Amino acid sequence: MAIKTRNFNEARQQASTNVELIWWVFMRVSGVLLVFLVLGHIYMNNILISNTSIDYDYVASRFSQPLIKVYDLVMLALAMLHGTNGLRYVIEDYVHHDGWRNFIKYALYFVVAVLIATGTMLLFSFPFEKVGG
Amino acid sequence: MYRGREGQWAFFLHRITGVAILLYLLVHVGELTAAMFGAKYSNAILGFFHQPLFQLGLLAVIGAVLYHALNGLRILIMDFTSWGTRVQDKLWYGVLALFALFYIPTIIKILPEIFGGGGH
Ligand code: HEM
Ligand code: HEM
């Protein structure tokens, strides 16, 4: 079961398994990092430019920069894991039928695994220099 | 967290925004993946999402991220300080104030672009 508390010592006592406690910590660590990563990402793609101008050339030029590759890869992994584990908490809270709960959870894990894989392939399918020049 | 009215609203909004951001992220990565198959497909999909309805959705996603991030920091303060839980309702008003502070200028910047201002 998901841990419901607002304090690390209580979380340690409530944790049904060690894995559950690790997820509790992971949600907090990844959360702090995502504040900078995702807000920085939104700033770069919505405030510095107009998001209505995003096209293939823009995406390709971004993915071709080594720094952006690393940035996006970390953001991809953390956001996917944080969001998926978060949705697992929600599913476990609301779906009480064992069969349905497991079905929904594993369907979610499958979709996320595929998207982490394709998202990573996408990153590395671009060369390590600026394109279009 | 379940104590008092503010806590419940804060929790509920955190939940809704979290799930919404994840759903957006899944679509987002899917949409970008088209870039692997070349400019033609990529531009078709990116262009499709440049319709005003989706652009408004994007603005909502930005709001969701902003709230979720700020409230996430509030949760961390409650978890890791001895005083956080005592002032959780005040912290929540702080979250709302910071949210307005960042979100209103964002809306002012982006809304005109959606309806023909900047962009293309
Ligand atoms: C921007 C920085 C972010 C911060 C500071 C943050 C922080 C948090 C925290 C502290 C929790 C509570 C975890 C728990 O109860 O153990 C949480 C839950 C959650 N987060 Fe985030 N998060 C962030 C970004 C994201 C992103 C990008 C997504 C989606 C991809 C996301 C989706 C979720 C979901 C679905 C939950 C579960 C909500 C619930 O249990 O009610 N979060 N977040
Ligand atoms: C709301 C406006 C957003 C816009 C206009 C936008 C735009 C973009 C663009 C142009 C890229 C290509 C590479 C780059 O520029 O870094 C990208 C990649 C990415 N975005 Fe966003 N983004 C937005 C929101 C988000 C949010 C909220 C998240 C996280 C939950 C996110 C997660 C990602 C990830 C993980 C990648 C890398 C994908 C991959 O490696 O396959 N984006 N985004």
Side-chain angles (χ1 to χ4, degrees), chain A residues 6 28 46 51 56 93, chain B residues 15 43 50 55 79 109:
Chain A
R6 304 266 59 98
R28 276 135 191 90
N46 291 273
N51 67 32
Y56 175 77
D93 272 357
Chain B
R15 196 153 250 202
N43 280 330
H50 282 166
Q55 296 291 120
D79 285 343
K109 192 224 171 234

Side-chain angles (χ1 to χ4, degrees), chain A residues 30-105:
Chain A
S30 60
V32 177
L33 297 172
L34 284 168
V35 172
F36 299 102
L37 290 171
V38 178
L39 290 181
H41 177 74
I42 289 180
Y43 184 76
M44 288 186 277
N45 285 326
N46 291 273
I47 307 296
L48 292 184
I49 64 156
S50 165
N51 67 32
T52 54
S53 70
I54 292 175
D55 58 4
Y56 175 77
D57 287 343
Y58 177 76
V59 173
S61 76
R62 296 265 304 164
F63 278 143
S64 302
Q65 300 164 38
L67 205 62
I68 299 289
K69 270 199 222 291
V70 177
Y71 187 112
D72 281 359
L73 194 60
V74 174
M75 180 168 63
L76 177 71
L78 289 181
M80 284 287 184
L81 292 176
H82 177 107
T84 305
N85 187 51
L87 187 52
R88 178 179 68 89
Y89 291 163
V90 178
I91 293 167
E92 286 178 351
D93 272 357
Y94 298 130
V95 186
H96 298 300
H97 184 280
D98 282 357
W100 277 113
R101 189 177 55 244
N102 285 328
F103 174 75
I104 297 171
K105 269 160 61 172

Side-chain angles (χ1 to χ4, degrees), chain A residues 82, chain B residues 1 9-19 67-69 71-73 75:
Chain A
H82 177 107
Chain B
M1 186 111 181
W9 272 104
F11 167 77
F12 192 63
L13 274 175
H14 195 77
R15 196 153 250 202
I16 298 275
T17 53
V19 174
Y67 174 81
H68 192 94
N71 192 59
L73 293 176
I75 294 177

Side-chain angles (χ1 to χ4, degrees), chain B residues 5-46:
Chain B
R5 284 171 296 152
E6 284 87 355
Q8 237 153 37
W9 272 104
F11 167 77
F12 192 63
L13 274 175
H14 195 77
R15 196 153 250 202
I16 298 275
T17 53
V19 174
I21 301 165
L22 178 66
L23 294 182
Y24 171 73
L25 178 65
L26 301 182
V27 176
H28 188 45
V29 175
E31 154 209 52
L32 289 166
T33 300
M36 268 199 286
F37 304 100
K40 195 165 139 253
Y41 297 105
S42 182
N43 280 330
I45 291 206
L46 293 174

